[in-house]
């Protein structure tokens, strides 16, 4: 296991505090990342306060993660050690169903979408811990390449808040909704 330092909530009320925990060793499909920046999404606050559903505690929030690759599994060679990468709201899924194959892993038809934190791995037992931490190990299919030219503290919020705004504009859903309203 890999030792990690994070900030965790231990219940719905108290402030977050330092917490040491472990992540899995790097598997064949995994990328190990040293986290450099993590955005604070408003959903982090909702989840820590158990406002959407009972939280899994201790909880390490954070799903707007930017960092540098430090090691790779043998099937993750589309990444390089030292490269900048990002992770958003999901870290795994079944990889096989029509939704997952079409890039809509949030709708995994086997119910195996794994959320970056306050979720369970596909074994339905192991909690996931997010980006308020110094390291993460993630399946390669849920890691994105990040350009060296960008301001990383500005990149982090793109991985949830940014894509949430951009995607409906790009896909025309918002345009359709406005047309329908008027
Ligand atoms: Zn978010
Ligand atoms: Zn699936």
């Amino acid at each position: 296991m890999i030792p990690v330092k994070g900030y965790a909530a231990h219940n719905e009320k108290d402030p977050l505090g330092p917490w040491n925990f472990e992540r899995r060793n790097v598997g064949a499909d995994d990328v190990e990342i040293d986290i450099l920046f993590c955005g604070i999404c408003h959903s982090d606050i909702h989840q820590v306060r158990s406002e959407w559903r009972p939280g899994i505690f201790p909880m390490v929030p954070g799903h707007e993660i930017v960092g540098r690759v430090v090691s790779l599994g043998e099937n993750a060679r589309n990444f390089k050690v030292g490269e900048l990468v990002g992770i958003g709201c999901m870290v795994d899924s079944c990889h096989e169903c029509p939704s997952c194959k079409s890039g809509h892993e949030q709708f995994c038809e086997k119910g195996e979408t794994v959320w970056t934190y306050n979720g369970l791995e596909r074994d339905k037992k192991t909690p996931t811990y997010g980006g308020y931490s110094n390291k993460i190990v993630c399946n390669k299919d849920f890691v994105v390449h990040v350009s060296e030219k960008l301001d990383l503290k500005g990149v982090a919020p793109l991985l949830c808040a940014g894509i949430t705004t951009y995607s409906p504009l790009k896909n025309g859903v918002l345009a359709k909704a406005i047309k329908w309203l008027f």
Side-chain angles (χ1 to χ4, degrees):
M1 298 292 275
I2 299 170
V4 180
K5 290 178 182 174
Y7 279 95
H10 291 273
N11 57 55
E12 293 94 353
K13 293 194 176 77
D14 293 335
L16 275 65
W19 184 58
N20 293 330
F21 63 104
E22 291 181 322
R23 299 212 185 258
R24 67 171 181 265
N25 289 326
V26 180
D29 295 318
D30 286 335
V31 180
E32 179 189 359
I33 298 158
D34 272 352
I35 297 173
L36 299 171
F37 290 93
C38 182
I40 299 173
C41 179
H42 196 84
S43 60
D44 298 346
I45 296 162
H46 286 303
Q47 304 227 50
V48 161
R49 292 180 180 161
S50 294
E51 287 172 347
W52 289 347
R53 61 187 167 88
I56 301 166
F57 295 100
M59 188 192 302
V60 178
H63 57 199
E64 297 177 343
I65 299 166
V66 175
R68 234 175 243 289
V69 175
V70 287
S71 77
L72 294 166
E74 61 195 50
N75 300 333
R77 301 285 183 222
N78 52 330
F79 293 97
K80 292 189 187 77
V81 171
E83 178 184 351
L84 287 173
V85 290
I87 299 172
C89 302
M90 294 172 281
V91 287
D92 209 355
S93 76
C94 88
H95 303 258
E96 286 169 354
C97 73
S99 290
C100 287
K101 286 211 158 171
S102 64
H104 296 103
E105 293 90 346
Q106 68 272 34
F107 301 128
C108 177
E109 289 153 44
K110 294 189 185 171
E112 292 186 13
T113 307
V114 178
W115 304 103
T116 305
Y117 70 88
N118 197 24
L120 296 174
E121 298 282 1
R122 290 169 67 196
D123 66 9
K124 309 281 185 199
K125 282 188 289 196
T126 311
T128 56
Y129 301 114
Y132 295 10
S133 58
N134 67 338
K135 264 179 186 292
I136 191 164
V137 175
C138 183
N139 182 283
K140 64 181 172 46
D141 294 342
F142 292 81
V143 179
V144 295
H145 300 277
V146 171
S147 167
E148 292 280 346
K149 293 177 191 160
L150 298 173
D151 176 359
L152 296 185
K153 63 183 182 299
V155 169
L158 297 178
L159 290 151
C160 175
I163 192 67
T164 302
T165 318
Y166 176 75
S167 177
L169 290 171
K170 174 109 172 27
N171 292 306
V173 175
L174 205 59
K176 278 180 207 153
I178 289 166
K179 229 178 188 176
W180 181 78
L181 280 170
F182 301 102

